[in-house]
Amino acid sequence: MSGAGAPGGRLGPGALGALFLVGAVGGLIGDMCHVVSGTTSYLEDPLPYVWRSQLWFPLMVGGGTAALGWIRVRFGPVADDEPVGGETLRQAVLMVAAVLGLYALTALVRGEPDEVGIVLVYAVAALICGAFARRPVDLACGLIAAAFGVTTEIVLAAADVFEYARDVPQVAGVAAWLPGLYLAYGVVAARLGMIAARFG
Amino acid sequence: MSGAGAPGGRLGPGALGALFLVGAVGGLIGDMCHVVSGTTSYLEDPLPYVWRSQLWFPLMVGGGTAALGWIRVRFGPVADDEPVGGETLRQAVLMVAAVLGLYALTALVRGEPDEVGIVLVYAVAALICGAFARRPVDLACGLIAAAFGVTTEIVLAAADVFEYARDVPQVAGVAAWLPGLYLAYGVVAARLGMIAARFG
Amino acid sequence: MSGAGAPGGRLGPGALGALFLVGAVGGLIGDMCHVVSGTTSYLEDPLPYVWRSQLWFPLMVGGGTAALGWIRVRFGPVADDEPVGGETLRQAVLMVAAVLGLYALTALVRGEPDEVGIVLVYAVAALICGAFARRPVDLACGLIAAAFGVTTEIVLAAADVFEYARDVPQVAGVAAWLPGLYLAYGVVAARLGMIAARFG
């Protein structure tokens, strides 16, 4: 009944801050996997490093997570079958763990035959989308994340801000499995937005 | 209420064609993983290649998928708790992604210690069977797939039509993890048959 | 209605024996993965080997599994929503397969960059806990398993009974991912205890 989660609802500052934090910390953990495995390398470091990442990276992922959650709550319908109570925390843990596992998997497959890594990453991404998306709007958020995220990385790679290792299969300068990672991330960010809406 | 999905029902040409197509394309994707990783090699190529596979391979997997679906619908009971509506597409995506992921995993474990790869593959196969099989007849379809699939590959390997790499742990000339892959595939083919039955 | 599964219930000898057996066999399979991958090595072998393990190892895991099941049934509430009938076997298969898969994964990640393996193992451990824990007491059993298991291994590693390979990321002489493995194991042992309670 709360306006926070109703159709056309808006997430408050606390909810947006929580989404930003989850996205930023998750982004740092995932990016660490990419950097230590040599999957990606920063070529310019105008900003300080946080852990293994240039400061702009966690800000981008955190901001993207908050934005996707806001979009989902603002434009999407609220399901009557949303999980309640402790169930929300369980869902959040499962979703965040799934995306972090997929992130680490994209680092693990470096050195494997290109096609094997690509099939494995897209298969797990499809499992995450299939398991956690509840409505078409959740998948739409995944597509938005893939479009914006991949485009941003293509631009930054073209500008020599960072690069993918030469042995990582690439399209337009970014990893061929990248859309799958962003798709799963976007679906989970949307669902985290719905959970955050319950808490304000 | 439709006769298509009732006990003793039969799948129509459209449903069988859809199952064939899913199996053939899925087989091509999985076989590509095996060929590029060197897990398997074709020794004879009397037929044209489709992607990385000799033409008979996708025909065999496609035909097997349609046959398993037909068997499941023809001889198995129809559960009252079958997923309905959008749930069927979600289930189909999850199941196909799970089997393709397992297929890619069997390629990924080449080079790992034999026992590690075998335990991992059978564990994931058991997860797929446990997650998607709904009735004993679904598991029976998995066993049928394992028996026919593994026997066929043993015969073809013995006839030097193709071979598994020497560093892949083998039983009778085929990979030791092969029964697990076919078991999971057969369970999923059976369940895809039940989903196809809803559409004719 | 049976006293076996009621709050403050107790597992009978048959149930405890079954839990011991599942734990001992599972422990042997997992430890085989660690030994053949070189993740761990026994430095002393005062007892006979069973498969790849010193006899004390399967006894410890089997005993721990029975103890965790007993603790869960003795002190935890019985959920009204426990799975019934065939559902229990399905749950048991899923849970045992998940933990064995995670065990094999900890062997697979040897040779990968430290952080990648650690993130992947903890992500899968969190998925297992999130998927199978039903109540806080299940997670408490996971924490008990992690505390006792990790402490025991630290003591045994310090006493040069066995060791982790030097290229495995370590804390206090044991693998950095070890708490995640024990946590998932403990949650599953607790749930297996609840299932065993139904059968006496």
Side-chain angles (χ1 to χ4, degrees):
Chain A
M1 290 313 197
S2 155
R10 290 166 196 274
L11 289 171
L16 289 171
L19 289 174
F20 179 89
L21 199 66
V22 169
V25 173
L28 287 173
I29 293 172
D31 199 38
M32 171 184 68
C33 291
H34 279 178
V35 171
V36 300
S37 65
T39 303
T40 56
S41 307
Y42 287 98
L43 300 179
E44 294 185 5
D45 43 9
L47 298 177
Y49 279 94
V50 183
W51 217 344
R52 298 281 189 158
S53 307
Q54 274 283 288
L55 179 59
W56 58 264
F57 187 79
L59 297 180
M60 191 179 82
V61 181
T65 307
L68 287 163
W70 187 87
I71 290 170
R72 173 64 181 84
V73 172
R74 181 77 181 80
F75 295 105
V78 174
D80 293 332
D81 59 346
E82 294 295 310
V84 292
E87 203 55 29
T88 54
L89 181 59
R90 177 204 299 269
Q91 286 289 322
V93 167
L94 287 172
M95 293 192 294
V96 171
V99 171
L100 286 178
L102 176 59
Y103 217 140
L105 182 65
T106 60
L108 181 84
V109 298
R110 187 184 171 205
E112 299 294 332
D114 292 355
E115 294 87 342
V116 174
I118 290 169
V119 171
L120 199 53
V121 168
Y122 279 98
V124 175
L127 286 172
I128 292 173
C129 293
F132 298 119
R134 295 190 170 217
R135 292 170 175 268
V137 67
D138 296 321
L139 291 172
C141 286
L143 291 173
I144 291 170
F148 273 75
V150 173
T151 302
T152 302
E153 290 207 19
I154 288 173
V155 170
L156 292 174
D160 286 332
V161 173
F162 79 104
E163 68 177 0
Y164 280 87
R166 278 189 204 143
D167 62 357
V168 172
Q170 300 184 14
V171 176
V174 301
W177 39 251
L178 198 62
L181 178 58
Y182 272 107
L183 191 67
Y185 154 75
V187 166
V188 165
R191 298 306 311 169
L192 289 176
M194 292 302 285
I195 291 175
R198 315 194 135 243
F199 299 102
Chain B
M1 288 311 197
S2 157
R10 290 167 196 274
L11 289 171
L16 290 171
L19 289 174
F20 178 90
L21 199 65
V22 169
V25 173
L28 287 174
I29 293 172
D31 199 38
M32 171 184 67
C33 291
H34 279 178
V35 171
V36 300
S37 64
T39 303
T40 57
S41 307
Y42 287 98
L43 301 179
E44 294 184 7
D45 44 8
L47 298 176
Y49 279 93
V50 183
W51 217 345
R52 299 281 188 159
S53 307
Q54 275 284 288
L55 180 59
W56 58 265
F57 186 79
L59 297 180
M60 191 179 81
V61 180
T65 306
L68 287 163
W70 187 87
I71 290 169
R72 173 64 182 83
V73 172
R74 182 75 180 83
F75 295 104
V78 174
D80 293 331
D81 58 348
E82 293 295 310
V84 292
E87 203 56 27
T88 54
L89 180 58
R90 178 203 299 268
Q91 285 289 321
V93 167
L94 287 172
M95 293 192 293
V96 171
V99 171
L100 286 178
L102 177 58
Y103 216 140
L105 183 66
T106 61
L108 181 85
V109 298
R110 186 183 173 206
E112 298 293 332
D114 291 355
E115 293 88 342
V116 174
I118 291 169
V119 171
L120 198 52
V121 169
Y122 279 98
V124 175
L127 286 172
I128 293 174
C129 293
F132 298 119
R134 294 189 172 218
R135 291 170 174 268
V137 67
D138 297 320
L139 292 172
C141 286
L143 291 172
I144 291 170
F148 273 75
V150 173
T151 303
T152 303
E153 290 207 19
I154 287 173
V155 170
L156 292 175
D160 285 332
V161 173
F162 80 103
E163 67 177 0
Y164 281 88
R166 278 187 204 146
D167 62 356
V168 173
Q170 298 185 14
V171 176
V174 301
W177 39 252
L178 198 62
L181 177 58
Y182 272 107
L183 190 67
Y185 154 76
V187 166
V188 165
R191 297 305 313 167
L192 289 176
M194 292 301 286
I195 292 175
R198 313 194 138 244
F199 299 101
Chain C
M1 291 311 200
S2 155
R10 290 168 196 273
L11 289 171
L16 290 171
L19 290 174
F20 179 89
L21 199 66
V22 169
V25 173
L28 286 173
I29 293 172
D31 199 37
M32 171 184 68
C33 291
H34 279 178
V35 171
V36 301
S37 65
T39 304
T40 56
S41 307
Y42 287 98
L43 300 180
E44 294 185 7
D45 44 8
L47 298 176
Y49 278 93
V50 183
W51 217 344
R52 299 283 189 157
S53 306
Q54 275 284 288
L55 180 59
W56 59 264
F57 187 79
L59 297 180
M60 191 179 82
V61 181
T65 307
L68 287 163
W70 187 87
I71 290 169
R72 173 64 181 84
V73 172
R74 182 74 181 83
F75 296 103
V78 174
D80 293 331
D81 58 347
E82 294 295 309
V84 292
E87 202 56 27
T88 55
L89 181 58
R90 179 204 297 270
Q91 286 289 322
V93 167
L94 287 172
M95 291 191 295
V96 171
V99 171
L100 286 178
L102 176 59
Y103 217 141
L105 182 66
T106 60
L108 181 85
V109 297
R110 187 185 171 204
E112 298 293 331
D114 292 354
E115 293 87 343
V116 174
I118 290 169
V119 172
L120 199 52
V121 168
Y122 279 98
V124 175
L127 285 172
I128 293 174
C129 294
F132 298 119
R134 295 190 170 217
R135 291 169 175 268
V137 67
D138 297 321
L139 291 172
C141 286
L143 290 173
I144 291 170
F148 273 76
V150 173
T151 303
T152 302
E153 291 208 18
I154 287 174
V155 169
L156 292 173
D160 285 333
V161 173
F162 80 103
E163 67 177 1
Y164 280 87
R166 278 187 204 147
D167 61 357
V168 173
Q170 300 183 15
V171 175
V174 301
W177 38 251
L178 197 63
L181 177 59
Y182 272 107
L183 190 67
Y185 154 76
V187 166
V188 165
R191 297 305 312 168
L192 289 175
M194 292 301 285
I195 292 175
R198 314 194 137 243
F199 299 102

